[in-house]
Amino acid sequence: MVRTLGVAVVGFGWMGRVHTQAYARVPHHFPGLSLRPELVAVADEVPGRAEEAAAQYGFAAAHRDWREVAADPRVQAVSIAAPNFLHREIGLAMAEAGKHIWIEKPVGLTAEDARAVSDAVTKAGVQGTVGFNYRGAPAVAAARELIASGEIGTVTHVRIRLFSDYAAHPEGALTWRYERERGGSGVLGDLASHGVDLARFLLGEIEALTADTAIFLPRRARPTGATAGHTRATGGELGPVENEDYVNCLLRFASGARGVLEACRVSVGEQNNYGFEVHGIKGAVFWDFRRMGELGVSRGTSYQDQPVSTVYVGPGDGEYAAFQPGSANSMGYDDLKVIEAHHFLRSIAENTPYGATLADAVHSAAALDAMSRSAEQGAWVPLA
């Protein structure tokens, strides 16, 4: 029996749109799911944005104030895609109102924020899913199984990279993303949070780390109006960039493996260059987000001069079969959010967590806090 679940979206920038479109697509890709999302409400403080969303996507109600969503008994689950500084307040309010939450990373500004939301979800007995979408790629799922099976032997080291140019233009507006008070960390929360999640998803817990950070574009122009995404601004008053453009980090895993995590938001010439290389004593596995359905795999008994083969993921890998019938058919970023939406709704239907949880967000945020401390102290920082 299929039942309807009233859902709402808080924050309707690009990510709010992606969540909304994912809800609409879930029944098509996962017809066996016992829940069907119904778009009940949307909230955004920018004048007219929520109304436009309601008109385009069919939300029953549009609000400027997210508190009206929390008070709406028709809403049973909420996507939180608002700016980072609002994550904790909105997350706590929605959990206390008994609503399940699908919240974007990094879940607040600090590990304390993420832990507070996680505790509230546990106390309320609701489900919480976090937007670590890259772990949902079928190739990443296949890489995890390959590593766990021992095909590349004991893992010795990993390199995880997240390079982008979304903040590379010197005319990029000084939005909340670049402020400590509202954005928290910079590229740490934006990109390195995904890197930490991938590291843990593939190799297990991180035991200690040491990091270095830098700001390469120290001043930007303040925007003169409402912004969405990565808006440019010229002629406005210049202000300081307060958080990191770049981080590099050395990792020690509880397994004994070593790792390098590097992320940058101002890498000219790099567009979503995200991926990893995992090396073991017998082989290796490589993944590039821009070739999302492929893995580079080296395995065998040659050790030296051992070749690397390209493996195309297919219906047996992760959730691939819900989208394509045969290997090497392409998937895209939005498909990963559909997978997240499915995990969220399945968690609610079965009262069992699926996919990335708030516990994962707490682990990631703790590592980000440790990176900040390490960069300040110039020392290794242990993770409890």
Side-chain angles (χ1 to χ4, degrees):
M1 179 178 177
V2 177
R3 60 187 176 93
T4 300
L5 184 81
V7 302
V9 176
V10 174
F12 211 79
W14 169 63
M15 189 54 67
R17 290 178 182 272
V18 173
H19 278 232
T20 302
Q21 290 161 182
Y23 284 128
R25 292 178 57 195
V26 162
H28 302 290
H29 293 283
F30 298 95
L33 188 64
S34 63
L35 290 178
R36 290 291 182 272
E38 178 183 1
L39 300 178
V40 171
V42 58
D44 195 290
E45 65 177 9
V46 175
R49 187 179 284 175
E51 289 77 11
E52 291 176 7
Q56 182 175 358
Y57 293 99
F59 288 96
H63 306 291
R64 288 279 301 278
D65 191 340
W66 60 263
R67 293 170 185 82
E68 295 186 62
V69 172
D72 190 338
R74 298 172 300 168
V75 175
Q76 298 161 283
V78 180
S79 279
I80 301 173
N84 298 352
F85 67 96
L86 294 172
H87 285 184
R88 178 171 180 161
E89 182 182 8
I90 298 174
L92 291 178
M94 296 303 174
E96 289 166 2
K99 303 182 191 305
H100 308 282
I101 64 173
W102 174 12
I103 186 168
E104 276 305 313
K105 54 81 201 169
V107 190
L109 305 181
T110 63
E112 181 184 352
D113 287 348
R115 193 171 291 108
V117 177
S118 180
D119 290 346
V121 163
T122 300
K123 182 178 179 181
V126 296
Q127 294 296 321
T129 293
V130 179
F132 289 129
N133 44 271
Y134 299 109
R135 65 156 62 190
V140 175
R144 188 186 193 211
E145 290 189 9
L146 186 148
I147 293 165
S149 72
E151 285 198 58
I152 65 171
T154 301
V155 172
T156 54
H157 60 283
V158 60
R159 177 176 178 258
I160 299 172
R161 68 187 185 282
L162 298 111
F163 298 145
S164 187
D165 64 356
Y166 67 80
H169 202 291
E171 293 179 0
L174 187 68
T175 64
W176 60 267
R177 294 181 181 276
Y178 303 97
E179 300 174 0
R180 284 285 179 192
E181 185 175 347
R182 297 194 296 165
S185 60
V187 75
L188 295 184
D190 280 354
L191 296 180
S193 57
H194 283 297
V196 172
D197 186 66
L198 283 172
R200 293 184 60 249
F201 186 68
L202 294 170
L203 302 183
E205 298 304 330
I206 299 167
E207 195 171 70
L209 58 80
T210 184
D212 184 34
T213 63
I215 299 173
F216 296 133
L217 293 176
R219 297 178 69 79
R220 295 179 182 271
R222 300 186 188 281
T224 56
T227 62
H230 305 291
T231 308
R232 293 185 190 176
T234 57
E237 178 188 357
L238 293 178
V241 172
E242 298 173 350
N243 52 32
E244 312 84 0
D245 289 328
Y246 171 83
V247 61
N248 64 47
C249 182
L250 299 180
L251 307 171
R252 291 177 183 163
F253 292 87
S255 66
R258 297 296 193 264
V260 177
L261 190 161
E262 191 176 14
C264 185
R265 65 188 180 187
V266 296
S267 296
V268 175
E270 300 281 14
Q271 297 87 39
N272 300 322
N273 182 358
Y274 309 152
F276 56 74
E277 301 112 41
V278 181
H279 294 266
I281 60 173
K282 296 194 300 183
V285 59
F286 310 89
W287 181 67
D288 186 329
F289 168 66
R290 298 166 301 178
R291 303 174 71 92
M292 192 168 73
E294 300 178 16
L295 283 178
V297 180
S298 178
R299 53 191 163 190
T301 57
S302 300
Y303 299 99
Q304 188 176 2
D305 298 328
Q306 185 163 285
V308 177
S309 300
T310 298
V311 176
Y312 297 102
V313 297
D317 300 310
E319 304 282 11
Y320 184 94
F323 298 87
Q324 300 294 346
S327 300
N329 284 297
S330 298
M331 290 177 62
Y333 177 89
D334 285 14
D335 295 329
L336 302 184
K337 303 309 278 191
V338 175
I339 292 171
E340 270 186 51
H342 171 242
H343 287 160
F344 179 45
L345 297 172
R346 186 181 178 191
S347 297
I348 297 168
E350 300 180 17
N351 196 31
T352 300
Y354 289 95
T357 67
L358 280 158
D360 294 310
V362 172
H363 281 289
S364 177
L368 302 184
D369 284 0
M371 289 180 198
S372 294
R373 292 197 306 275
S374 175
E376 291 173 1
Q377 301 168 4
W380 282 87
V381 175
L383 294 179

